[in-house]
Amino acid sequence: MTQKLFLTSALAMGFVAPVFAEPSNTGTFPNDGYMQEDYTYTNAATADNMDSVYEGSVNAIAEYTEIPYSAEEGFYLTGVDDNNDAITAECTSGNFCPGVASTTYENNAFGNTGLQSCSTATSGAYTLSDAGASSSGQCYRTCNGNVSILHATGVTGNDYSDGTNTCVPTDCENGWHVKEGVNLSPIQKAIGDSEGENYAMIKPNREFYQFKNGNGTDHDQSFYGITDINTWAVYFGSNGMLQGEARCSETGRADTLGDVYTSEQVGEGSTAGKYCYCRLTGYVSAEGVAQSLISNNWVRGDGDVSSYCYSNNCVSHCAKFLVHSEIAERIRNFRAALFNNVETIPASCEANVININWYNADAEDISANNAGTATYGSDVHTPVKAQTIKGKTFRGWRFSAPEQTNLPN
């Protein structure tokens, strides 16, 4: 009776045996001794596993390894988040970030790893950079106050530590004007893989031919601005128009579309040539502003076009690989090669060409000595002779500003 009362009293007082959770995983003790989280290691409590401990207590020491972290070009490491993922930030202006190779850090002491100062790397000569710069070559200084352009009174742009610059004149000395340069990068970006509306060409027999792509519109030859045989043009609508030329040559190999050859390798061209080459010669903006382009090399057009290269096959292939939007990799390479072989020409100050109105001189005498114009700062040519005026001896010509009112009839 007493025992029964004791048990009843124990239950009444809330003495309940504790309930323990079992680990989620079960396995044998690991050979390397590193026990993992939430495991039951079967029959593992032995002296062999517990560093020769038979009784009393044993320590279980947690060991860790540093995680390797990296950062892409243009970014640097700043720390680690709660999930042990790297925290990166875009390279800040005035610095460059070449990227960080996979590396471990003691106690995660990053210290803005991968952030390098433009000023330090360039000995203080080029202290600026745009956000996201990935190399010291992208460190720059402004052109204004650092770079001189002949005859320029104002300069803008950047001078980069790798030797390139975007310096262009904004104003020129009296007698000179700003001549726009040629930079195909924005044109290439605008056209990209876009589809052309039309292409046109002048065949070797001087016949003009136009291809309308999709909803392209008819235009006359003057619209395309091509006049010589084996010239072509591709119209991209709001992205402007590219112009170029084709050449057939006996020199060449059956290489892939887009291979580049020098003018010396291609030669002067041949009516019997079976190898086709292309290059850009001009660009016309959507507003109608024309730019001449200088391409020092030729880009391989179609493969072996045999004896009919000069009939129209070559000039046609140069254009049609630019007009279509279904851009295979080989055609994309062809487009890129055409653009990459255009010489970039910076803007400059160009001397004004002044028209000279010669009085009392015949047109043929002016033309014979090329006296109708003079380039500012250069020579002035006078006509072969002045007209003979009865009762007068010719004394010479004197310059007079256009607003002069007492001019001879």
Side-chain angles (χ1 to χ4, degrees):
M1 187 69 182
T2 305
Q3 183 180 12
K4 184 176 180 181
L5 289 172
F6 173 78
L7 291 173
T8 303
S9 300
L11 291 173
M13 293 174 65
F15 289 104
V16 179
V19 178
F20 297 101
E22 289 291 327
S24 302
N25 304 292
T26 302
T28 58
F29 196 79
N31 291 331
D32 60 7
Y34 287 104
M35 296 175 288
Q36 300 305 304
E37 299 168 314
D38 199 19
Y39 254 87
T40 294
Y41 290 111
T42 307
N43 301 325
T46 67
D48 289 340
N49 295 331
M50 296 191 292
D51 200 23
S52 300
V53 173
Y54 289 88
E55 59 184 343
S57 63
V58 64
N59 298 323
I61 307 299
E63 295 185 16
Y64 296 85
T65 57
E66 285 82 12
I67 300 173
Y69 293 101
S70 61
E72 297 179 353
E73 289 185 0
F75 291 82
Y76 65 101
L77 292 169
T78 63
V80 178
D81 63 19
D82 292 338
N83 294 320
N84 265 340
D85 293 325
I87 302 173
T88 62
E90 185 180 38
C91 202
T92 53
S93 59
N95 299 290
F96 66 96
C97 301
V100 179
S102 184
T103 309
T104 60
Y105 298 89
E106 189 74 23
N107 299 321
N108 292 329
F110 292 99
N112 292 339
T113 303
L115 185 70
Q116 299 186 41
S117 166
C118 280
S119 179
T120 301
T122 63
S123 300
Y126 302 89
T127 60
L128 306 174
S129 72
D130 295 328
S134 60
S135 71
S136 61
Q138 293 173 285
C139 298
Y140 65 87
R141 58 183 181 175
T142 59
C143 298
N144 187 29
N146 294 300
V147 176
S148 297
I149 297 177
L150 194 62
H151 301 296
T153 57
V155 181
T156 189
N158 299 324
D159 173 34
Y160 291 85
S161 64
D162 65 0
T164 62
N165 66 57
T166 58
C167 304
V168 294
T170 56
D171 296 289
C172 300
E173 299 170 355
N174 289 336
W176 303 77
H177 65 275
V178 175
K179 180 183 179 182
E180 296 298 329
V182 175
N183 181 6
L184 222 57
S185 294
I187 301 170
Q188 184 178 8
K189 184 177 180 180
I191 291 176
D193 292 345
S194 64
E195 185 173 46
E197 294 184 10
N198 300 59
Y199 77 76
M201 63 182 178
I202 300 179
K203 300 179 181 180
N205 64 1
R206 298 195 176 278
E207 176 188 352
F208 172 75
Y209 172 83
Q210 178 181 211
F211 171 84
K212 293 188 297 180
N213 185 34
N215 296 321
T217 305
D218 277 323
H219 300 285
D220 58 23
Q221 181 177 333
S222 62
F223 173 83
Y224 294 99
I226 52 176
T227 56
D228 297 329
I229 63 171
N230 290 314
T231 57
W232 50 268
V234 179
Y235 179 56
F236 292 92
S238 60
N239 289 326
M241 179 165 55
L242 291 172
Q243 300 162 327
E245 60 181 327
R247 179 173 293 183
C248 294
S249 173
E250 282 293 297
T251 304
R253 303 186 305 271
D255 292 335
T256 55
L257 186 73
D259 281 358
V260 178
Y261 288 78
T262 66
S263 294
E264 291 74 18
Q265 289 173 315
V266 172
E268 294 300 320
S270 168
T271 56
K274 65 178 182 179
Y275 299 105
C276 177
Y277 298 93
C278 319
R279 67 180 179 184
L280 294 175
T281 59
Y283 173 74
V284 182
S285 70
E287 296 73 31
V289 179
Q291 286 182 302
S292 295
L293 305 179
I294 299 175
S295 299
N296 295 320
N297 297 313
W298 292 84
V299 178
R300 187 76 159 82
D302 199 18
D304 186 343
V305 290
S306 193
S307 59
Y308 58 90
C309 177
Y310 233 79
S311 61
N312 70 15
N313 196 61
C314 182
V315 66
S316 172
H317 275 78
C318 290
K320 76 179 184 180
F321 287 144
L322 287 171
V323 76
H324 293 297
S325 62
E326 296 177 359
I327 306 297
E329 183 178 357
R330 69 190 191 100
I331 298 179
R332 187 178 290 109
N333 291 341
F334 172 74
R335 283 189 171 202
L338 284 178
F339 282 114
N340 292 340
N341 280 285
V342 173
E343 182 180 343
T344 299
I345 303 173
S348 62
C349 286
E350 184 179 59
N352 296 337
V353 175
I354 301 171
N355 296 316
I356 303 177
N357 301 313
W358 296 101
Y359 286 82
N360 299 109
D362 295 330
E364 58 269 23
D365 290 328
I366 297 171
S367 177
N369 280 358
N370 193 26
T373 61
T375 300
Y376 190 84
S378 297
D379 299 338
V380 172
H381 294 180
T382 63
V384 173
K385 63 181 185 298
Q387 295 171 343
T388 300
I389 305 296
K390 288 184 177 181
K392 296 184 179 181
T393 299
F394 176 67
R395 187 175 179 181
W397 288 282
R398 297 183 67 186
F399 284 124
S400 176
E403 61 269 17
Q404 184 73 33
T405 55
N406 58 339
L407 298 174
N409 295 325

